[in-house]
Amino acid sequence: MTVLQACEIAGVDIPRFCYHSRLSIAGNCRMCLVEVEKSPKPVASCAMPALPGMKIKTDTPLAKKAREGVMEFLLMNHPLDCPICDQGGECDLQDQSMAFGSDRGRFTETKRSVVDKNLGPLVKTVMTRCIQCTRCVRFATEIAGVQDLGMLGRGSGEEIGTYVERLMTSELSGNVIDICPVGALTSKPFAFKARNWELKGTESIDVTDAVGSNIRIDSRGPEVMRILPRLNEDINEEWISDKTRFFYDGLKRQRLNDPMIRGPDGRFKAVSWRDALAVVAEVIHQVKPSEIVGVAGKLSDAESMMALKDFLNKMGSNNVWCEGNGPSPNADIRSGYIMNTSISGLEKADVFLLVGTQPRVEAAMVNARIRKTVRAAQAKVGYVGPATDLNYDHEHLGTGPQTLKEIADGRHPFSSTLINAKNPCIIVGAGVFERNDKDAIFSVVETIAESAKAVRPDWNGLNVLLLNAAQAAALDLGLVPESGNSIESSKFIYLMGADDVNLEKIPEDAFVVYQGHHGDRGVYRANIILPSSAFSEKEGTYVNTEGCAQTTVPAVPTVGDARDDWKIIRALSEVAGACLPYDSLTAIRSRMRTVAPNLLNTDERQPAIFSYSLKPESRQEMSTVPFGTAVENFYMTDSITRASKVMAQCSASLSKK
Amino acid sequence: MASSLLRLARRSRQAYPSFLTPLSRPFASDALVETKPGEIGMVSGIPEEHLRRRVLIYSPARTASQQGSGKVGKWKINFVSTQKWENPLMGWTSTGDPYAHVGDSALCFDSEEAAIEFAQRHGWDYRVKKRHTPLLKPKAYADNFRWKGPPDTKN
Amino acid sequence: MGSVVRSAVKAIKEKGFGSFLRELRDEGYLTALLDGNLMQTKIHNIGATLVGVDKFGNKYYEKLGDTQYGRHRWVEYAAKDRYNASQVPPEWHGWLHFITDHTGDELLLLKPTRYGLEHKENLSGEGDQYIYHSKGHSLNPGQRDWTRYQPWQPTKA
């Protein structure tokens, strides 16, 4: 407990530049100097341990003079860039110089300047503005795990850089933009676009992956200008991955804004909602109920999935599922598809076994947590899957299910590590859902968990890491299809934002309705396009991979003539004659409460009650096919990221190849 | 005066006690207990359609790009007003919603209860979002020099 | 008066009576019969020196000597029927309004080549297509679309 932290608890904020509560203490900015009684010099409060009986004075002339002096020194070599610096208005240096600095400087020599470094298409560097606080160096080393940045040189010639011409390829590289107290590291896509006082922050949830990081969408009028992280100690602390931070320009491109019908010549024609819904209703009545199929996409919220399932059930079909859950998902036992150790609970684990999952690309925040545990408690990590680089030490145990069998039988050296672990944690990737031998793999994993005593009343270490934001809510709501290959024999397919459906499997004469917000892959096969709103334009409930339900808040208006997903389905149901009984958000939420009441307890994680012990024995044979990668390209995973120019630049230059 | 009386009369005709809700539409919005708009709402002169808003009550998180926590701890009401469009003449942002900026600029509460009471008095349908506070983990400068485990024996 | 008659007779002898009359009409003497300002200008032109002509055809005269101060520099516009003060280009404006002694030909050399625009007279009241409209105005021929997103364009697929 340092003096600074003790003062924080007491309610006194001490100014600082290099200290950050989540990074190691550097103590090189000297802005936190306070006067301590009986000490000959002022004391750096960020580093000095708080001893009992200490009298700390933060308001005396000595402390004030120290701060003014430090401020003067920092501003000596700092360029007069405020009008052109992106950090103006949200700059720690500006605010602290106003609050703690003196009114005039005494520097009359020439200022030094530093050459800019190229760190990639995401982070813009103006190294002249750097005050050498080393926060970015500590972040990259400790939290991102890449030792890209370092301090070169000594004295006033110190430069932060990568020494060799390297780009910052880490998936957490965007966080250095928040960390940097001055405008040395800023966001390149956001450069010169807006000032922070013009922006209205809306607190929402990210949907690009299953983590559900809390974000703040800053918008100016009708467009999203940038995305910043929001504090949530349980899920993402204060960080967000690069994909979450920079994909917002995909929200402005390739948007569907009018209902369109594909004419007989194969070209799309914009029509009114009335006509589009009438055509869909007509077709859906001409088809047999068993030939109706609905697929919910990766970015669908729980309300729309509820509406879709209700509507298709009313039409007589039970073939509704969500992308990514595989052909035969097991939605009965909740612990079989969520992260039972919550994301914050991962910090208590001491041995990890990663099965078929690359958390670095699938869920960057979960990876950050695992790295935090590995660093803090020297946790051991065993990884089964294709060779990948994780930013912490891990043992590559094998590539296929045989390794799992060996571990389960105790023949593998890693089994002893698992058995001797106090809190073992097994993470299975959701890519396993797509395999045919999914049940066999899960039963082997459960045997391992049994032998390692991973599932106990006080600790449940058997986790599934999901890939999409919609999967957990889909399984909570029961979007389980009757048969896995119902697409091949279907005549009416309702794609609700589903772009990863294998379009070749759709028969030639099937009527495809695509309801989504981007013209990605699904629209090219669609017969009717119904535009819906993206996550930043609607209030939707998303369940993250640990089972915590969160709602997005609309930040910008819907584009063109688009409507909310569930409202489209409700209107369609009325036109088709099978009217759904809810017509407001409260009503559809009360319907959701009858199916899955945990979806309404937002911001609180709902742990699964029953463990796998309820599952019947599986008699499936395990195949020998090694595990594959579920996420090929970290930067382009769903329709919004595929439409984004920044993500395209990133995947071209920063992909880990 | 007359308009608020008219509103009162209309409202008493619409509201029925909860036990008489029709069972044929169990999930319809008026099956739930009808929130009576509070006293302030009816007398304040606010147009009726704005007394039935859905609002969110939240405590804004600290801006991630700065370390200062001066504005943290206030509670605000977010009138979910995204009805904005670009004015075709000058490209400026137009809105038809009188509450577009009110939540951001004008209303600020010191406590969650004050915000909830305000929303209740106006009769808005509010939802409260949880406030997240940072966990204080005791740190020490000596952690930089602590033994970090046995050296990596692999390579 | 005599010099006027002498120059008129000389012109008739050189070019013929028909072309003399045509010239009179082109010079604006016909309009001057109905326009008092132009008639005054034409009368004042007698005995004046032509200082220069600008690219629109406006003629700039100067009559020093016994002339009343303030009437010693004037312009005779090229458009004899619809003339207005904004037709004077900026290089002649200074000389005409007694601000400077540099004539327009000298000041034309100072016109910036990179960003100097052509002089336009004041077109207010002339009609909607001539006046200024902002970028989003429907009467602006290059009307800009302010939508902040790009809609998906269906390609022939």
Side-chain angles (χ1 to χ4, degrees):
Chain A
M1 174 70 77
T2 52
V3 169
L4 196 146
Q5 290 186 311
C7 290
E8 214 175 291
I9 297 178
V12 176
D13 247 339
I14 298 181
R16 80 293 289 253
F17 285 112
C18 67
Y19 172 82
H20 194 278
S21 50
R22 294 179 205 276
L23 304 173
S24 59
I25 299 178
N28 58 27
C29 71
R30 315 311 287 177
M31 190 68 184
C32 57
L33 295 174
V34 296
E35 185 182 346
V36 168
E37 217 168 82
K38 291 190 240 119
S39 161
K41 349 199 261 186
V43 140
S45 52
C46 64
M48 177 71 128
L51 303 167
M54 243 182 182
K55 290 203 191 21
I56 305 162
K57 301 192 216 170
T58 57
D59 223 1
T60 53
L62 176 69
K64 289 192 180 157
K65 197 162 150 75
R67 287 176 196 156
E68 282 174 21
V70 171
M71 213 62 236
E72 190 179 352
F73 274 115
L74 283 174
L75 290 171
M76 265 189 215
N77 264 328
H78 198 78
L80 304 177
D81 274 355
C82 286
I84 52 173
C85 177
D86 281 308
Q87 198 96 344
E90 48 183 17
C91 177
D92 268 340
L93 198 67
Q94 272 182 343
D95 295 349
Q96 285 182 22
S97 68
M98 286 297 289
F100 305 109
S102 62
D103 57 343
R104 62 203 71 187
R106 297 174 279 188
F107 186 65
T108 46
E109 284 84 40
T110 28
K111 299 193 181 217
R112 66 103 176 85
S113 66
V114 179
V115 55
D116 293 342
K117 317 287 184 299
N118 179 16
L119 292 182
L122 299 177
V123 180
K124 176 180 172 195
T125 60
V126 183
M127 294 326 280
T128 321
R129 301 176 191 160
C130 176
I131 55 174
Q132 293 94 23
C133 67
T134 61
R135 268 190 194 169
C136 53
V137 174
R138 283 176 279 146
F139 176 84
T141 328
E142 295 164 23
I143 301 191
V146 285
Q147 306 227 354
D148 274 346
L149 293 171
M151 177 78 91
L152 308 155
R154 296 163 73 171
S156 71
E158 281 184 323
E159 292 186 19
I160 299 260
T162 50
Y163 191 61
V164 288
E165 288 263 338
R166 266 180 83 168
L167 306 175
M168 273 190 87
T169 52
S170 163
E171 72 278 1
L172 295 176
S173 64
N175 293 302
V176 295
I177 298 170
D178 293 335
I179 284 225
C180 182
V182 295
L185 300 171
T186 46
S187 160
K188 212 178 228 177
F190 182 65
F192 308 127
K193 288 276 162 68
R195 283 294 188 194
N196 75 318
W197 58 80
E198 309 180 283
L199 304 173
K200 176 175 174 169
T202 313
E203 311 206 329
S204 175
I205 306 293
D206 162 55
V207 298
T208 49
D209 56 12
V211 173
S213 333
N214 290 172
I215 56 174
R216 196 182 83 170
I217 301 181
D218 280 349
S219 60
R220 178 175 65 181
E223 66 176 311
V224 173
M225 300 303 294
R226 68 173 174 183
I227 291 183
L228 285 181
R230 196 167 38 109
L231 173 74
N232 184 328
E233 285 287 351
D234 300 322
I235 302 174
N236 65 316
E237 295 180 299
E238 265 175 46
W239 320 119
I240 46 175
S241 69
D242 277 356
K243 187 165 55 171
T244 311
R245 193 180 284 266
F246 294 113
F247 79 110
Y248 58 86
D249 67 321
L251 288 169
K252 297 184 213 151
R253 298 187 66 233
Q254 306 279 43
R255 293 301 300 266
L256 300 173
N257 59 347
D258 282 317
M260 294 203 216
I261 297 188
R262 195 193 282 268
D265 58 345
R267 304 197 60 139
F268 277 107
K269 207 167 44 87
V271 294
S272 72
W273 274 105
R274 181 190 297 268
D275 298 333
L277 292 179
V279 169
V280 179
E282 199 188 305
V283 175
I284 205 173
H285 279 296
Q286 290 164 355
V287 186
K288 283 208 296 282
S290 59
E291 294 169 340
I292 301 179
V293 162
V295 185
K298 288 179 170 172
L299 307 175
S300 318
D301 56 336
E303 283 91 0
S304 41
M305 288 199 281
M306 182 86 259
L308 181 67
K309 183 165 165 61
D310 275 350
F311 174 57
L312 289 187
N313 287 353
K314 264 202 155 167
M315 299 267 70
S317 153
N318 201 5
N319 284 322
V320 193
W321 68 89
C322 177
E323 277 182 336
N325 278 341
S328 52
N330 205 337
D332 298 320
I333 301 177
R334 196 150 178 265
S335 59
Y337 58 84
I338 63 170
M339 184 166 271
N340 294 302
T341 334
S342 54
I343 298 181
S344 52
L346 287 175
E347 287 185 40
K348 299 199 206 73
D350 54 353
V351 174
F352 290 94
L353 175 61
L354 307 173
V355 178
T357 174
Q358 294 85 38
R360 200 164 180 205
V361 290
E362 290 176 16
M365 296 330 306
V366 171
N367 195 50
R369 261 330 157 142
I370 299 178
R371 181 181 157 79
K372 193 175 169 187
T373 322
V374 167
R375 253 190 103 236
Q378 284 86 46
K380 300 207 191 2
V381 178
Y383 168 72
V384 180
T388 173
D389 63 333
L390 297 170
N391 43 354
Y392 36 83
D393 285 328
H394 64 284
E395 279 181 47
H396 190 178
L397 304 175
T399 50
Q402 290 92 309
T403 330
L404 286 180
K405 203 99 185 52
E406 286 171 33
I407 301 179
D409 293 340
R411 286 178 279 142
H412 200 283
F414 196 73
S415 349
S416 53
T417 336
L418 267 177
I419 293 174
N420 296 336
K422 264 203 310 274
N423 289 335
C425 177
I426 306 173
I427 304 184
V428 184
V432 171
F433 286 163
E434 303 278 350
R435 293 171 65 107
N436 296 338
D437 56 343
K438 155 175 87 100
D439 292 327
I441 295 190
F442 269 100
S443 66
V444 169
V445 170
E446 278 147 24
T447 333
I448 302 179
E450 209 48 80
S451 59
K453 281 188 269 315
V455 184
R456 310 189 294 258
D458 62 326
W459 169 262
N460 189 336
L462 182 49
N463 307 312
V464 175
L465 182 59
L466 299 172
L467 293 168
N468 315 331
Q471 274 179 307
L475 292 171
D476 277 345
L477 290 173
L479 261 74
V480 173
E482 250 176 50
S483 84
N485 43 6
S486 39
I487 274 200
E488 278 110 7
S489 59
S490 60
K491 290 277 179 305
F492 179 90
I493 304 182
Y494 200 102
L495 298 174
M496 196 167 72
D499 286 300
D500 285 332
V501 169
N502 197 344
L503 292 176
E504 275 105 49
K505 287 208 287 188
I506 302 179
E508 284 294 321
D509 55 345
F511 187 85
V512 177
V513 179
Y514 183 82
Q515 174 181 314
H517 39 79
H518 274 79
D520 201 29
R521 293 182 196 150
V523 281
Y524 289 103
R525 172 64 188 84
N527 296 74
I528 279 204
I529 299 178
L530 301 175
S532 69
S533 49
F535 82 100
S536 54
E537 301 151 10
K538 66 180 167 193
E539 195 174 336
T541 311
Y542 289 89
V543 180
N544 72 349
T545 180
E546 60 170 11
C548 180
Q550 296 168 302
T551 44
T552 56
V553 177
V556 285
T558 50
V559 149
D561 219 356
R563 305 273 191 269
D564 284 350
D565 288 282
W566 68 268
K567 290 187 184 165
I568 300 177
I569 301 181
R570 162 74 177 78
L572 176 59
S573 70
E574 188 161 343
V575 173
C579 190
L580 293 170
Y582 30 79
D583 48 4
S584 79
L585 200 59
T586 1
I588 196 173
R589 284 197 175 143
S590 67
R591 164 73 181 128
M592 271 162 40
R593 185 192 289 136
T594 62
V595 175
N598 63 316
L599 293 179
L600 265 73
N601 276 357
T602 51
D603 297 325
E604 276 188 32
R605 183 178 168 259
Q606 302 289 322
I609 305 179
F610 298 105
S611 67
Y612 61 87
S613 47
L614 285 181
K615 269 169 69 168
E617 281 284 327
S618 132
R619 272 173 238 290
Q620 236 186 13
E621 273 298 314
M622 219 159 49
S623 86
T624 49
V625 176
F627 293 115
T629 42
V631 172
E632 287 296 330
N633 187 347
F634 169 65
Y635 294 105
M636 317 263 251
T637 46
D638 48 49
S639 55
I640 310 183
T641 43
R642 281 191 284 257
S644 154
K645 275 206 185 113
V646 176
M647 291 287 109
Q649 279 174 319
C650 287
S651 80
S653 50
L654 298 178
S655 286
K656 304 166 216 326
K657 279 291 172 290
Chain B
M1 178 66 182
S3 58
S4 38
L5 277 179
L6 266 172
R7 253 188 263 161
L8 274 169
R10 225 178 300 147
R11 200 154 316 198
S12 56
R13 257 182 281 134
Q14 280 174 6
Y16 29 45
S18 45
F19 59 90
L20 286 181
T21 49
L23 294 165
S24 57
R25 292 168 60 218
F27 300 117
S29 57
D30 52 7
L32 304 170
V33 173
E34 175 123 326
T35 43
K36 282 198 289 297
E39 315 92 47
I40 297 266
M42 272 198 268
V43 180
S44 64
I46 297 176
E48 200 172 338
E49 60 266 20
H50 291 296
L51 286 177
R52 295 183 165 281
R53 287 187 82 101
R54 299 196 68 243
V55 300
L56 287 169
I57 296 182
Y58 69 109
S59 176
R62 186 198 64 153
T63 314
S65 41
Q66 281 192 283
Q67 248 66 47
S69 333
K71 287 189 189 168
V72 174
K74 305 262 186 263
W75 285 83
K76 287 189 146 163
I77 299 187
N78 178 2
F79 300 91
V80 185
S81 82
T82 52
Q83 263 288 13
K84 299 185 184 139
W85 58 91
E86 312 89 358
N87 190 302
L89 176 65
M90 290 302 293
W92 298 337
T93 304
S94 315
T95 177
D97 188 4
Y99 278 103
H101 64 284
V102 171
D104 238 2
S105 51
L107 289 180
C108 193
F109 302 94
D110 284 323
S111 69
E112 188 186 342
E113 292 78 34
I116 292 178
E117 206 201 308
F118 189 86
Q120 278 173 340
R121 268 191 289 150
H122 284 263
W124 296 319
D125 177 16
Y126 64 91
R127 271 186 76 175
V128 183
K129 296 196 100 175
K130 186 173 133 186
R131 178 179 165 198
H132 296 283
T133 41
L135 278 177
L136 199 86
K137 284 160 285 226
K139 293 161 76 82
Y141 189 60
D143 291 345
N144 294 356
F145 308 103
R146 181 173 295 164
W147 185 63
K148 298 223 170 59
D152 194 10
T153 49
K154 263 200 287 171
N155 44 350
Chain C
M1 191 62 200
S3 60
V4 176
V5 177
R6 241 173 283 133
S7 52
V9 166
K10 198 165 101 182
I12 294 176
K13 267 213 213 109
E14 281 174 8
K15 297 183 210 119
F17 197 67
S19 66
F20 174 68
L21 286 179
R22 217 173 298 124
E23 256 185 55
L24 280 188
R25 194 196 60 196
D26 287 337
E27 294 273 309
Y29 288 96
L30 209 57
T31 3
L33 292 175
L34 295 167
D35 186 354
N37 284 328
L38 195 54
M39 179 59 93
Q40 283 281 331
T41 314
K42 292 288 183 195
I43 294 172
H44 211 46
N45 279 358
I46 309 169
T49 44
L50 177 68
V51 178
V53 184
D54 66 27
K55 64 174 179 309
F56 299 112
N58 304 327
K59 297 204 184 77
Y60 299 87
Y61 293 92
E62 188 171 33
K63 186 145 86 171
L64 304 163
D66 218 1
T67 335
Q68 184 188 14
Y69 178 83
R71 290 191 80 190
H72 58 289
R73 288 179 185 172
W74 67 94
V75 57
E76 186 186 330
Y77 293 101
K80 301 289 186 266
D81 48 351
R82 290 187 169 281
Y83 53 80
N84 69 74
S86 66
Q87 286 169 357
V88 170
E91 57 266 14
W92 281 104
H93 184 272
W95 178 87
L96 185 61
H97 288 257
F98 316 104
I99 297 172
T100 176
D101 283 328
H102 296 288
T103 57
D105 346 323
E106 296 162 36
L107 293 177
L108 203 54
L109 300 171
L110 296 176
K111 184 171 166 180
T113 40
R114 183 164 87 95
Y115 56 86
L117 296 172
E118 291 301 312
H119 178 72
K120 258 194 334 198
E121 60 162 309
N122 188 337
L123 294 168
S124 324
E126 299 289 327
D128 274 333
Q129 62 203 114
Y130 299 108
I131 60 177
Y132 167 76
H133 301 282
S134 53
K135 285 200 200 73
H137 199 107
S138 48
L139 296 169
N140 187 333
Q143 184 188 17
R144 203 182 127 165
D145 184 18
W146 295 110
T147 50
R148 313 282 172 104
Y149 67 93
Q150 291 167 16
W152 173 74
Q153 300 294 340
T155 51
K156 186 107 172 62

